[in-house]
Amino acid sequence: MASYTETPYGIKVMVYKGRDKNGKNVRESKTFKTKKEAERWAAEQLLINDRMVNLDDSRMKLKDFMEKWYKDIGSKKSINTAYNSKSRMDHHIIPDIGHYPLNKLTPLVIQDFYNGLDEKGLAASSKKKIMETLSNALRYALKLRLIPYLPTDIEKEPVTRGKIIYWTVEELNLFLDYVKDNWLYVPVFMLSMTGMRPAEMMGLQWKKIDLENRIIEIDSQVIYDKESKKLVLTDILKTELSGRIITIPTALSEALRGSQRAQEWNRVQ
């Protein structure tokens, strides 16, 4: 509900926004030159208010909400994804705009934050990752109805991707011939025939390889944990679609069979 009052300075509009946690009425007012401007602002405020669940929660500072998002969602991602999200929070988002209440985050505030990243000398790709972390957190706020819209739809610098360099079939075969008596042969052959990530290949165990039916199950990976500085075997893959079954050609199946026999022979020596 909104009320309008003529003042020497223009039209003062007051919007009723509900009650706070102590049961007190919450109102917000602003003065405009014309009633049309006042009505437009009042309509926007009432729309925002309708989409809010709790006025006190919507005033939560971004730094506090980012911690909640990380605890609820961000920390449950893969080890390094979680580490990178926490690093972007702690080094950029929270220091720069963490003091803003959620209900004061506007595209202008976010645009200024993004533009300020230039002063830190960050590359476009780094700025893109920071904005992805912020957007992911604010999508959670939107889902919780703490903000009425996502304020991260701003002007961003395009990220140019480098040219992908790849081997031709002839170059791959030449390299495989060169390392055919080397331990590199099977790993390189496997990567080229399956398209699996190196981290997924390092996480493979023989129980996940069915040589008779020529299939491989991908359900784990080995990654370098940036926090502990150690290699870690984890069942959290890069994306939700990374867990999969791969059919392999006969030639790769035979190469793996030979590698398995060699490992068994080395164990009994």
Side-chain angles (χ1 to χ4, degrees):
M1 185 172 64
S3 62
Y4 303 87
T5 306
E6 288 190 20
T7 74
Y9 307 101
I11 304 297
K12 179 180 180 181
V13 54
M14 181 173 291
V15 176
Y16 174 71
K17 307 193 76 173
R19 298 177 183 272
D20 63 17
K21 63 182 178 181
N22 297 317
K24 293 182 178 180
N25 291 334
V26 177
R27 294 182 175 88
E28 189 168 349
S29 63
K30 196 169 183 178
T31 302
F32 296 88
K33 292 181 179 180
T34 66
K35 189 172 182 179
K36 187 175 181 179
E37 291 175 317
E39 288 174 340
R40 185 184 301 116
W41 179 81
E44 291 173 352
Q45 294 304 306
L46 290 171
L47 179 61
I48 289 172
N49 196 51
D50 285 343
R51 294 178 179 178
M52 294 297 185
V53 169
N54 186 294
L55 288 171
D56 293 303
D57 287 343
S58 72
R59 294 190 181 104
M60 179 188 299
K61 290 190 184 319
L62 177 62
K63 63 180 181 181
D64 298 322
F65 182 77
M66 291 296 300
E67 296 293 347
K68 173 177 174 54
W69 167 79
Y70 184 77
K71 179 182 178 182
D72 292 352
I73 297 176
S75 63
K76 295 178 173 59
K77 301 296 183 181
S78 63
I79 293 173
N80 283 339
T81 297
Y83 176 88
N84 290 335
S85 294
K86 191 71 165 64
S87 177
R88 293 170 197 138
M89 283 171 49
D90 293 344
H91 292 95
H92 301 290
I93 300 171
I94 290 178
D96 291 358
I97 56 174
H99 60 285
Y100 276 91
L102 290 176
N103 62 4
K104 296 298 182 183
L105 288 175
T106 65
L108 178 59
V109 170
I110 304 301
Q111 186 73 64
D112 288 344
F113 163 69
Y114 178 81
N115 294 344
L117 296 176
D118 279 332
E119 299 175 9
K120 300 181 180 182
L122 297 178
S125 58
S126 297
K127 293 188 290 185
K128 179 176 182 289
K129 292 295 184 182
I130 293 169
M131 289 302 299
E132 285 175 354
T133 299
L134 178 59
S135 293
N136 288 338
L138 292 180
R139 284 191 188 94
Y140 187 44
L142 186 63
K143 183 178 290 187
L144 296 178
R145 298 184 66 193
L146 299 178
I147 55 176
Y149 65 94
L150 198 64
T152 51
D153 184 14
I154 61 171
E155 291 296 319
K156 306 181 186 77
E157 181 183 349
V159 178
T160 56
R161 297 183 179 276
K163 183 179 179 181
I164 298 176
I165 300 176
Y166 55 89
W167 284 349
T168 63
V169 174
E170 291 75 17
E171 290 170 332
L172 174 62
N173 288 333
L174 184 65
F175 183 80
L176 287 173
D177 285 341
Y178 181 75
V179 297
K180 63 182 179 180
D181 297 321
N182 189 286
W183 67 270
L184 278 173
Y185 178 79
V186 172
V188 173
F189 192 27
M190 184 182 298
L191 291 175
S192 65
M193 292 294 103
T194 64
M196 70 174 65
R197 299 179 178 91
E200 295 170 344
M201 182 186 66
M202 291 189 291
L204 272 180
Q205 302 175 62
W206 284 115
K207 63 183 180 181
K208 299 297 181 179
I209 303 176
D210 184 345
L211 295 176
E212 293 299 322
N213 295 303
R214 295 187 291 109
I215 57 175
I216 293 176
E217 180 182 359
I218 304 296
D219 65 356
S220 60
Q221 63 175 339
V222 170
I223 62 171
Y224 178 71
D225 183 348
K226 295 178 181 178
E227 188 168 9
S228 68
K229 312 298 183 187
K230 295 179 180 179
L231 291 175
V232 176
L233 175 65
T234 175
D235 59 1
I236 301 177
L237 300 175
K238 186 174 180 64
T239 70
E240 293 180 359
L241 299 178
S242 293
R244 61 200 186 278
I245 302 295
I246 297 175
T247 301
I248 61 176
T250 301
L252 177 56
S253 178
E254 291 303 316
L256 286 169
R257 198 183 301 277
S259 180
Q260 188 179 51
R261 284 197 296 264
Q263 286 185 17
E264 292 172 350
W265 187 86
N266 288 333
R267 278 199 294 268
V268 299
Q269 299 307 305

